[in-house]
Amino acid sequence: AFYIGWKAVASNASDLISSGCNRIIGVNIGLVVPPKTHWLWIKNLYTGINRALKHFGGVILGGDCSMGKEKVISITALGKQGKIKLRRNACRPKEIIL
């Protein structure tokens, strides 16, 4: 669960950073768990989330918890956009973006 929490934040932070974000504000967490989920699993999940936020920046802004048949986590990360030197809409036909 720790690594799931870490990866959920890290993959969102990576998307923001690659898009020119210069500061991660925080994350909203949507969590669905079955009723018989052990509390330790949830604690470890949030430990991974908080450890990743400490590393990348940001805080837990909010979210929602629900009961369901399977474990599902959805992270929405918010950040401050920095200056981007190259945008897709500024490219000309036949140019290649890597």
Side-chain angles (χ1 to χ4, degrees):
F2 174 89
Y3 295 108
I4 293 169
W6 173 275
K7 185 174 182 177
V9 171
S11 62
N12 277 268
S14 172
D15 288 346
L16 287 179
I17 293 165
S18 69
S19 297
C21 174
N22 61 11
R23 183 173 69 90
I24 297 170
I25 296 168
V27 297
N28 285 316
I29 304 167
L31 181 63
V32 177
V33 292
K36 294 183 179 183
T37 302
H38 293 285
W39 175 247
L40 184 59
W41 189 91
I42 295 170
K43 181 181 176 189
N44 287 336
L45 176 75
Y46 276 84
T47 298
I49 289 169
N50 282 305
R51 199 79 56 83
L53 288 170
K54 186 175 181 181
H55 179 79
F56 295 105
V59 296
I60 296 174
L61 299 169
D64 190 28
C65 295
S66 299
M67 181 176 55
K69 292 181 181 179
E70 297 180 22
K71 294 175 184 163
V72 178
I73 183 167
S74 175
I75 300 281
T76 301
L78 304 171
K80 186 173 185 305
Q81 181 68 50
K83 187 174 182 179
I84 297 179
K85 296 179 181 177
L86 177 63
R87 293 185 184 267
R88 287 184 182 194
N89 64 359
C91 295
R92 300 184 196 287
K94 299 186 181 182
E95 287 183 327
I96 298 173
I97 301 174
L98 301 175

